[in-house]
mmCIF file of all heavy atoms in Angstrom:
data_model
loop_
_atom_site.group_PDB
_atom_site.id
_atom_site.type_symbol
_atom_site.label_atom_id
_atom_site.label_comp_id
_atom_site.label_asym_id
_atom_site.label_seq_id
_atom_site.Cartn_x
_atom_site.Cartn_y
_atom_site.Cartn_z
ATOM 1 N N ALA A 151 -45.972 59.042 8.178
ATOM 2 C CA ALA A 151 -46.048 59.818 9.479
ATOM 3 C C ALA A 151 -46.050 61.206 9.170
ATOM 4 O O ALA A 151 -46.451 62.056 10.086
ATOM 5 C CB ALA A 151 -44.889 59.366 10.430
ATOM 6 N N PHE A 152 -45.612 61.641 7.995
ATOM 7 C CA PHE A 152 -45.377 63.065 7.779
ATOM 8 C C PHE A 152 -46.634 63.629 6.812
ATOM 9 O O PHE A 152 -47.036 64.692 6.962
ATOM 10 C CB PHE A 152 -44.136 63.372 7.065
ATOM 11 C CG PHE A 152 -42.906 63.130 8.071
ATOM 12 C CD1 PHE A 152 -42.279 61.887 8.102
ATOM 13 C CD2 PHE A 152 -42.509 64.231 8.730
ATOM 14 C CE1 PHE A 152 -41.272 61.692 8.892
ATOM 15 C CE2 PHE A 152 -41.368 63.974 9.671
ATOM 16 C CZ PHE A 152 -40.827 62.797 9.762
ATOM 17 N N ARG A 153 -46.921 62.705 5.761
ATOM 18 C CA ARG A 153 -47.813 63.036 4.852
ATOM 19 C C ARG A 153 -48.324 61.868 4.082
ATOM 20 O O ARG A 153 -47.788 60.865 4.147
ATOM 21 C CB ARG A 153 -47.250 64.008 4.018
ATOM 22 C CG ARG A 153 -46.034 63.672 3.198
ATOM 23 C CD ARG A 153 -45.366 64.642 2.396
ATOM 24 N NE ARG A 153 -46.416 65.096 1.420
ATOM 25 C CZ ARG A 153 -46.147 65.683 0.259
ATOM 26 N NH1 ARG A 153 -44.882 65.815 -0.155
ATOM 27 N NH2 ARG A 153 -47.089 65.936 -0.492
ATOM 28 N N PRO A 154 -49.499 61.868 3.333
ATOM 29 C CA PRO A 154 -49.938 60.779 2.521
ATOM 30 C C PRO A 154 -48.881 60.310 1.581
ATOM 31 O O PRO A 154 -48.326 61.045 0.862
ATOM 32 C CB PRO A 154 -51.184 61.305 1.841
ATOM 33 C CG PRO A 154 -51.629 62.506 2.699
ATOM 34 C CD PRO A 154 -50.316 63.039 3.125
ATOM 35 N N LEU A 155 -48.555 58.946 1.678
ATOM 36 C CA LEU A 155 -47.496 58.376 0.871
ATOM 37 C C LEU A 155 -47.761 58.521 -0.651
ATOM 38 O O LEU A 155 -46.839 58.785 -1.285
ATOM 39 C CB LEU A 155 -47.451 56.849 1.279
ATOM 40 C CG LEU A 155 -46.346 56.124 0.575
ATOM 41 C CD1 LEU A 155 -44.963 56.688 0.924
ATOM 42 C CD2 LEU A 155 -46.361 54.648 1.024
ATOM 43 N N LYS A 156 -49.062 58.416 -0.975
ATOM 44 C CA LYS A 156 -49.438 58.688 -2.470
ATOM 45 C C LYS A 156 -48.946 60.101 -2.969
ATOM 46 O O LYS A 156 -48.383 60.127 -4.005
ATOM 47 C CB LYS A 156 -50.812 58.468 -2.656
ATOM 48 C CG LYS A 156 -51.425 58.635 -3.994
ATOM 49 C CD LYS A 156 -52.845 58.506 -4.133
ATOM 50 C CE LYS A 156 -53.474 59.639 -3.538
ATOM 51 N NZ LYS A 156 -54.872 59.907 -3.661
ATOM 52 N N ASP A 157 -49.075 61.050 -2.163
ATOM 53 C CA ASP A 157 -48.763 62.368 -2.500
ATOM 54 C C ASP A 157 -47.228 62.551 -2.617
ATOM 55 O O ASP A 157 -46.740 63.203 -3.546
ATOM 56 C CB ASP A 157 -49.284 63.489 -1.480
ATOM 57 C CG ASP A 157 -50.804 63.440 -1.556
ATOM 58 O OD1 ASP A 157 -51.484 63.011 -2.624
ATOM 59 O OD2 ASP A 157 -51.350 64.061 -0.616
ATOM 60 N N PHE A 158 -46.616 61.958 -1.656
ATOM 61 C CA PHE A 158 -45.166 62.024 -1.529
ATOM 62 C C PHE A 158 -44.543 61.255 -2.889
ATOM 63 O O PHE A 158 -43.587 61.861 -3.437
ATOM 64 C CB PHE A 158 -44.659 61.318 -0.313
ATOM 65 C CG PHE A 158 -43.122 61.324 -0.304
ATOM 66 C CD1 PHE A 158 -42.375 62.403 0.057
ATOM 67 C CD2 PHE A 158 -42.394 60.125 -0.584
ATOM 68 C CE1 PHE A 158 -40.991 62.262 0.114
ATOM 69 C CE2 PHE A 158 -41.082 59.995 -0.438
ATOM 70 C CZ PHE A 158 -40.344 60.954 -0.118
ATOM 71 N N LYS A 159 -44.984 60.123 -3.189
ATOM 72 C CA LYS A 159 -44.537 59.339 -4.411
ATOM 73 C C LYS A 159 -44.808 60.259 -5.608
ATOM 74 O O LYS A 159 -43.834 60.219 -6.538
ATOM 75 C CB LYS A 159 -45.177 57.985 -4.536
ATOM 76 C CG LYS A 159 -44.655 56.990 -3.512
ATOM 77 C CD LYS A 159 -45.361 55.629 -3.708
ATOM 78 C CE LYS A 159 -44.844 54.634 -2.701
ATOM 79 N NZ LYS A 159 -45.423 53.342 -3.009
ATOM 80 N N ARG A 160 -45.956 60.728 -5.752
ATOM 81 C CA ARG A 160 -46.274 61.646 -6.949
ATOM 82 C C ARG A 160 -45.239 62.909 -7.014
ATOM 83 O O ARG A 160 -44.692 63.079 -8.118
ATOM 84 C CB ARG A 160 -47.601 62.213 -6.840
ATOM 85 C CG ARG A 160 -48.073 62.947 -8.108
ATOM 86 C CD ARG A 160 -49.423 63.640 -7.990
ATOM 87 N NE ARG A 160 -49.217 64.833 -7.232
ATOM 88 C CZ ARG A 160 -49.654 65.033 -5.974
ATOM 89 N NH1 ARG A 160 -50.296 64.076 -5.389
ATOM 90 N NH2 ARG A 160 -49.367 66.120 -5.325
ATOM 91 N N GLU A 161 -45.020 63.405 -5.902
ATOM 92 C CA GLU A 161 -44.005 64.539 -5.966
ATOM 93 C C GLU A 161 -42.595 64.139 -6.217
ATOM 94 O O GLU A 161 -41.781 64.869 -6.784
ATOM 95 C CB GLU A 161 -44.169 65.445 -4.713
ATOM 96 C CG GLU A 161 -45.471 66.219 -4.610
ATOM 97 C CD GLU A 161 -45.593 66.997 -3.447
ATOM 98 O OE1 GLU A 161 -44.578 67.384 -2.759
ATOM 99 O OE2 GLU A 161 -46.713 67.575 -3.206
ATOM 100 N N VAL A 162 -42.252 62.995 -5.713
ATOM 101 C CA VAL A 162 -40.908 62.551 -6.012
ATOM 102 C C VAL A 162 -40.695 62.279 -7.467
ATOM 103 O O VAL A 162 -39.676 62.538 -8.034
ATOM 104 C CB VAL A 162 -40.564 61.257 -5.174
ATOM 105 C CG1 VAL A 162 -39.273 60.562 -5.655
ATOM 106 C CG2 VAL A 162 -40.409 61.538 -3.702
ATOM 107 N N ALA A 163 -41.740 61.730 -8.121
ATOM 108 C CA ALA A 163 -41.739 61.458 -9.515
ATOM 109 C C ALA A 163 -41.629 62.769 -10.296
ATOM 110 O O ALA A 163 -40.840 62.784 -11.309
ATOM 111 C CB ALA A 163 -42.974 60.580 -10.022
ATOM 112 N N GLU A 164 -42.326 63.806 -9.859
ATOM 113 C CA GLU A 164 -42.337 65.071 -10.457
ATOM 114 C C GLU A 164 -40.827 65.626 -10.300
ATOM 115 O O GLU A 164 -40.381 66.317 -11.259
ATOM 116 C CB GLU A 164 -43.276 66.020 -9.869
ATOM 117 C CG GLU A 164 -44.684 65.816 -10.246
ATOM 118 C CD GLU A 164 -45.784 66.691 -9.406
ATOM 119 O OE1 GLU A 164 -45.268 67.604 -8.866
ATOM 120 O OE2 GLU A 164 -47.048 66.390 -9.399
ATOM 121 N N PHE A 165 -40.286 65.482 -9.133
ATOM 122 C CA PHE A 165 -38.981 65.940 -8.925
ATOM 123 C C PHE A 165 -37.986 65.316 -9.803
ATOM 124 O O PHE A 165 -37.048 65.957 -10.366
ATOM 125 C CB PHE A 165 -38.603 65.863 -7.389
ATOM 126 C CG PHE A 165 -37.244 66.399 -7.032
ATOM 127 C CD1 PHE A 165 -36.906 67.740 -7.272
ATOM 128 C CD2 PHE A 165 -36.355 65.591 -6.485
ATOM 129 C CE1 PHE A 165 -35.713 68.251 -6.976
ATOM 130 C CE2 PHE A 165 -35.067 66.049 -6.127
ATOM 131 C CZ PHE A 165 -34.717 67.414 -6.452
ATOM 132 N N ALA A 166 -38.026 63.960 -10.001
ATOM 133 C CA ALA A 166 -37.233 63.295 -10.805
ATOM 134 C C ALA A 166 -37.315 63.778 -12.429
ATOM 135 O O ALA A 166 -36.360 63.934 -13.044
ATOM 136 C CB ALA A 166 -37.369 61.812 -10.759
ATOM 137 N N ARG A 167 -38.554 63.979 -12.760
ATOM 138 C CA ARG A 167 -38.783 64.585 -14.232
ATOM 139 C C ARG A 167 -38.136 65.826 -14.207
ATOM 140 O O ARG A 167 -37.564 66.269 -15.217
ATOM 141 C CB ARG A 167 -40.278 64.606 -14.480
ATOM 142 C CG ARG A 167 -40.780 63.268 -14.802
ATOM 143 C CD ARG A 167 -42.253 63.340 -15.400
ATOM 144 N NE ARG A 167 -43.254 63.807 -14.474
ATOM 145 C CZ ARG A 167 -43.912 63.099 -13.489
ATOM 146 N NH1 ARG A 167 -43.627 61.833 -13.452
ATOM 147 N NH2 ARG A 167 -44.727 63.665 -12.725
ATOM 148 N N TYR A 168 -38.293 66.785 -13.142
ATOM 149 C CA TYR A 168 -37.601 68.077 -13.154
ATOM 150 C C TYR A 168 -36.175 67.949 -13.365
ATOM 151 O O TYR A 168 -35.471 68.632 -14.139
ATOM 152 C CB TYR A 168 -38.087 68.760 -11.873
ATOM 153 C CG TYR A 168 -37.291 70.064 -11.670
ATOM 154 C CD1 TYR A 168 -37.451 71.120 -12.348
ATOM 155 C CD2 TYR A 168 -36.266 70.026 -10.671
ATOM 156 C CE1 TYR A 168 -36.651 72.384 -12.048
ATOM 157 C CE2 TYR A 168 -35.436 71.182 -10.368
ATOM 158 C CZ TYR A 168 -35.619 72.213 -11.093
ATOM 159 O OH TYR A 168 -34.869 73.402 -10.842
ATOM 160 N N LEU A 169 -35.465 67.076 -12.551
ATOM 161 C CA LEU A 169 -34.054 66.851 -12.628
ATOM 162 C C LEU A 169 -33.601 66.459 -14.052
ATOM 163 O O LEU A 169 -32.742 66.946 -14.617
ATOM 164 C CB LEU A 169 -33.727 65.819 -11.596
ATOM 165 C CG LEU A 169 -33.746 66.335 -10.133
ATOM 166 C CD1 LEU A 169 -33.391 65.123 -9.280
ATOM 167 C CD2 LEU A 169 -32.803 67.512 -9.843
ATOM 168 N N LYS A 170 -34.426 65.456 -14.538
ATOM 169 C CA LYS A 170 -34.055 64.942 -15.930
ATOM 170 C C LYS A 170 -34.235 65.909 -16.876
ATOM 171 O O LYS A 170 -33.508 65.834 -18.044
ATOM 172 C CB LYS A 170 -34.907 63.776 -16.279
ATOM 173 C CG LYS A 170 -34.631 62.536 -15.371
ATOM 174 C CD LYS A 170 -33.348 62.001 -15.404
ATOM 175 C CE LYS A 170 -33.139 61.252 -16.662
ATOM 176 N NZ LYS A 170 -31.714 60.664 -16.820
ATOM 177 N N SER A 171 -35.024 67.028 -16.751
ATOM 178 C CA SER A 171 -35.194 68.062 -17.866
ATOM 179 C C SER A 171 -34.144 69.129 -17.821
ATOM 180 O O SER A 171 -34.084 69.900 -18.625
ATOM 181 C CB SER A 171 -36.562 68.543 -17.655
ATOM 182 O OG SER A 171 -36.732 69.436 -16.501
ATOM 183 N N THR A 172 -33.312 69.052 -16.663
ATOM 184 C CA THR A 172 -32.175 70.048 -16.603
ATOM 185 C C THR A 172 -31.173 69.918 -17.698
ATOM 186 O O THR A 172 -30.776 68.687 -17.970
ATOM 187 C CB THR A 172 -31.513 69.900 -15.145
ATOM 188 O OG1 THR A 172 -32.425 69.899 -14.215
ATOM 189 C CG2 THR A 172 -30.445 70.868 -15.031
ATOM 190 N N PRO A 173 -30.841 70.901 -18.437
ATOM 191 C CA PRO A 173 -29.845 70.758 -19.494
ATOM 192 C C PRO A 173 -28.575 70.197 -18.902
ATOM 193 O O PRO A 173 -28.039 70.730 -17.860
ATOM 194 C CB PRO A 173 -29.726 72.170 -20.068
ATOM 195 C CG PRO A 173 -30.915 72.893 -19.664
ATOM 196 C CD PRO A 173 -31.321 72.237 -18.277
ATOM 197 N N PRO A 174 -28.022 69.100 -19.496
ATOM 198 C CA PRO A 174 -26.741 68.623 -19.016
ATOM 199 C C PRO A 174 -25.555 69.671 -19.307
ATOM 200 O O PRO A 174 -25.590 70.398 -20.314
ATOM 201 C CB PRO A 174 -26.496 67.371 -19.662
ATOM 202 C CG PRO A 174 -27.256 67.481 -21.104
ATOM 203 C CD PRO A 174 -28.455 68.387 -20.681
ATOM 204 N N SER A 175 -24.445 69.585 -18.512
ATOM 205 C CA SER A 175 -23.326 70.418 -18.740
ATOM 206 C C SER A 175 -22.620 69.951 -20.054
ATOM 207 O O SER A 175 -22.737 68.767 -20.478
ATOM 208 C CB SER A 175 -22.345 70.295 -17.584
ATOM 209 O OG SER A 175 -21.820 69.031 -17.387
ATOM 210 N N GLU A 176 -21.816 70.763 -20.623
ATOM 211 C CA GLU A 176 -21.058 70.503 -21.743
ATOM 212 C C GLU A 176 -20.188 69.191 -21.592
ATOM 213 O O GLU A 176 -19.532 69.159 -20.664
ATOM 214 C CB GLU A 176 -20.229 71.615 -22.298
ATOM 215 C CG GLU A 176 -19.695 71.480 -23.577
ATOM 216 C CD GLU A 176 -18.833 72.621 -24.022
ATOM 217 O OE1 GLU A 176 -19.328 73.733 -23.759
ATOM 218 O OE2 GLU A 176 -17.847 72.465 -24.673
ATOM 219 N N GLY A 177 -20.435 68.285 -22.532
ATOM 220 C CA GLY A 177 -19.578 66.990 -22.506
ATOM 221 C C GLY A 177 -20.212 66.008 -21.558
ATOM 222 O O GLY A 177 -19.700 64.865 -21.588
ATOM 223 N N SER A 178 -21.285 66.285 -20.899
ATOM 224 C CA SER A 178 -21.878 65.290 -20.035
ATOM 225 C C SER A 178 -22.907 64.417 -20.804
ATOM 226 O O SER A 178 -23.368 64.860 -21.889
ATOM 227 C CB SER A 178 -22.659 66.079 -19.017
ATOM 228 O OG SER A 178 -23.504 65.184 -18.157
ATOM 229 N N ARG A 179 -23.055 63.180 -20.348
ATOM 230 C CA ARG A 179 -24.002 62.215 -20.906
ATOM 231 C C ARG A 179 -25.398 62.532 -20.561
ATOM 232 O O ARG A 179 -26.391 61.892 -21.035
ATOM 233 C CB ARG A 179 -23.624 60.827 -20.536
ATOM 234 C CG ARG A 179 -22.314 60.382 -21.166
ATOM 235 C CD ARG A 179 -22.150 58.929 -20.665
ATOM 236 N NE ARG A 179 -22.901 58.481 -19.729
ATOM 237 C CZ ARG A 179 -22.847 57.382 -19.117
ATOM 238 N NH1 ARG A 179 -21.965 56.468 -19.357
ATOM 239 N NH2 ARG A 179 -23.718 57.033 -18.079
ATOM 240 N N GLY A 180 -25.620 63.372 -19.666
ATOM 241 C CA GLY A 180 -26.945 63.783 -19.124
ATOM 242 C C GLY A 180 -27.000 63.883 -17.633
ATOM 243 O O GLY A 180 -26.002 63.844 -16.912
ATOM 244 N N VAL A 181 -28.256 64.198 -17.132
ATOM 245 C CA VAL A 181 -28.391 64.308 -15.720
ATOM 246 C C VAL A 181 -29.051 63.136 -15.191
ATOM 247 O O VAL A 181 -30.107 62.604 -15.684
ATOM 248 C CB VAL A 181 -29.433 65.624 -15.496
ATOM 249 C CG1 VAL A 181 -29.750 65.809 -13.999
ATOM 250 C CG2 VAL A 181 -28.833 66.855 -16.023
ATOM 251 N N PHE A 182 -28.405 62.587 -14.126
ATOM 252 C CA PHE A 182 -28.908 61.193 -13.552
ATOM 253 C C PHE A 182 -29.186 61.448 -12.103
ATOM 254 O O PHE A 182 -28.603 62.165 -11.376
ATOM 255 C CB PHE A 182 -27.800 60.193 -13.624
ATOM 256 C CG PHE A 182 -27.379 59.985 -15.070
ATOM 257 C CD1 PHE A 182 -26.256 60.567 -15.567
ATOM 258 C CD2 PHE A 182 -28.143 59.123 -15.968
ATOM 259 C CE1 PHE A 182 -25.864 60.261 -16.942
ATOM 260 C CE2 PHE A 182 -27.795 58.867 -17.158
ATOM 261 C CZ PHE A 182 -26.778 59.467 -17.717
ATOM 262 N N TYR A 183 -30.273 60.830 -11.570
ATOM 263 C CA TYR A 183 -30.567 60.754 -10.201
ATOM 264 C C TYR A 183 -29.951 59.606 -9.632
ATOM 265 O O TYR A 183 -29.523 58.685 -10.185
ATOM 266 C CB TYR A 183 -32.129 60.822 -10.028
ATOM 267 C CG TYR A 183 -32.925 59.782 -10.849
ATOM 268 C CD1 TYR A 183 -33.040 58.503 -10.415
ATOM 269 C CD2 TYR A 183 -33.534 60.209 -11.968
ATOM 270 C CE1 TYR A 183 -33.781 57.542 -11.050
ATOM 271 C CE2 TYR A 183 -34.296 59.327 -12.833
ATOM 272 C CZ TYR A 183 -34.371 58.020 -12.307
ATOM 273 O OH TYR A 183 -35.044 57.001 -13.003
ATOM 274 N N PRO A 184 -29.908 59.596 -8.307
ATOM 275 C CA PRO A 184 -29.129 58.569 -7.572
ATOM 276 C C PRO A 184 -29.722 57.102 -7.900
ATOM 277 O O PRO A 184 -30.824 56.829 -7.871
ATOM 278 C CB PRO A 184 -29.398 58.895 -6.065
ATOM 279 C CG PRO A 184 -29.675 60.380 -6.014
ATOM 280 C CD PRO A 184 -30.431 60.665 -7.337
ATOM 281 N N GLY A 185 -28.683 56.317 -8.268
ATOM 282 C CA GLY A 185 -29.059 54.850 -8.558
ATOM 283 C C GLY A 185 -29.256 54.653 -10.120
ATOM 284 O O GLY A 185 -29.363 53.587 -10.494
ATOM 285 N N GLU A 186 -29.475 55.779 -10.793
ATOM 286 C CA GLU A 186 -29.954 55.638 -12.362
ATOM 287 C C GLU A 186 -28.757 55.050 -13.069
ATOM 288 O O GLU A 186 -28.942 54.110 -13.959
ATOM 289 C CB GLU A 186 -30.344 56.949 -12.848
ATOM 290 C CG GLU A 186 -30.869 56.836 -14.240
ATOM 291 C CD GLU A 186 -31.471 58.109 -14.760
ATOM 292 O OE1 GLU A 186 -31.186 59.152 -14.195
ATOM 293 O OE2 GLU A 186 -31.990 57.998 -15.920
ATOM 294 N N VAL A 187 -27.579 55.579 -12.860
ATOM 295 C CA VAL A 187 -26.415 54.991 -13.597
ATOM 296 C C VAL A 187 -26.243 53.559 -13.442
ATOM 297 O O VAL A 187 -25.995 52.866 -14.317
ATOM 298 C CB VAL A 187 -25.101 55.853 -13.332
ATOM 299 C CG1 VAL A 187 -23.867 55.203 -13.964
ATOM 300 C CG2 VAL A 187 -25.326 57.289 -13.767
ATOM 301 N N GLU A 188 -26.263 53.199 -12.140
ATOM 302 C CA GLU A 188 -26.144 51.841 -11.815
ATOM 303 C C GLU A 188 -27.234 50.889 -12.355
ATOM 304 O O GLU A 188 -26.860 49.744 -12.802
ATOM 305 C CB GLU A 188 -26.138 51.575 -10.193
ATOM 306 C CG GLU A 188 -25.057 52.233 -9.564
ATOM 307 C CD GLU A 188 -25.161 53.731 -9.386
ATOM 308 O OE1 GLU A 188 -26.134 54.414 -9.696
ATOM 309 O OE2 GLU A 188 -24.177 54.326 -8.925
ATOM 310 N N HIS A 189 -28.387 51.430 -12.375
ATOM 311 C CA HIS A 189 -29.493 50.704 -13.067
ATOM 312 C C HIS A 189 -29.345 50.438 -14.476
ATOM 313 O O HIS A 189 -29.410 49.352 -15.089
ATOM 314 C CB HIS A 189 -30.830 51.284 -12.832
ATOM 315 C CG HIS A 189 -32.040 50.738 -13.652
ATOM 316 N ND1 HIS A 189 -32.607 49.569 -13.375
ATOM 317 C CD2 HIS A 189 -32.673 51.252 -14.758
ATOM 318 C CE1 HIS A 189 -33.373 49.192 -14.335
ATOM 319 N NE2 HIS A 189 -33.537 50.323 -15.138
ATOM 320 N N LEU A 190 -28.847 51.523 -15.260
ATOM 321 C CA LEU A 190 -28.510 51.405 -16.722
ATOM 322 C C LEU A 190 -27.380 50.490 -16.899
ATOM 323 O O LEU A 190 -27.505 49.665 -17.898
ATOM 324 C CB LEU A 190 -28.162 52.861 -17.212
ATOM 325 C CG LEU A 190 -29.388 53.799 -17.149
ATOM 326 C CD1 LEU A 190 -28.853 55.209 -17.532
ATOM 327 C CD2 LEU A 190 -30.477 53.396 -18.116
ATOM 328 N N ARG A 191 -26.410 50.503 -16.016
ATOM 329 C CA ARG A 191 -25.338 49.479 -16.235
ATOM 330 C C ARG A 191 -25.758 48.033 -16.006
ATOM 331 O O ARG A 191 -25.350 47.235 -16.704
ATOM 332 C CB ARG A 191 -24.237 49.962 -15.233
ATOM 333 C CG ARG A 191 -23.009 49.052 -15.418
ATOM 334 C CD ARG A 191 -21.776 49.528 -14.618
ATOM 335 N NE ARG A 191 -21.344 50.932 -14.847
ATOM 336 C CZ ARG A 191 -21.332 51.863 -14.000
ATOM 337 N NH1 ARG A 191 -21.522 51.826 -12.619
ATOM 338 N NH2 ARG A 191 -21.116 53.170 -14.448
#
Side-chain angles (χ1 to χ4, degrees):
F152 293 91
R153 57 184 303 206
L155 186 57
K156 179 182 70 164
D157 295 343
F158 176 75
K159 287 181 175 184
R160 185 188 77 252
E161 288 184 14
V162 167
E164 288 173 14
F165 183 55
R167 283 190 294 277
Y168 166 76
L169 291 175
K170 295 297 286 178
S171 70
T172 303
S175 62
E176 187 175 325
S178 171
R179 296 184 342 188
V181 176
F182 300 99
Y183 48 82
E186 185 177 12
V187 171
E188 294 79 4
H189 170 72
L190 293 171
R191 188 172 296 127

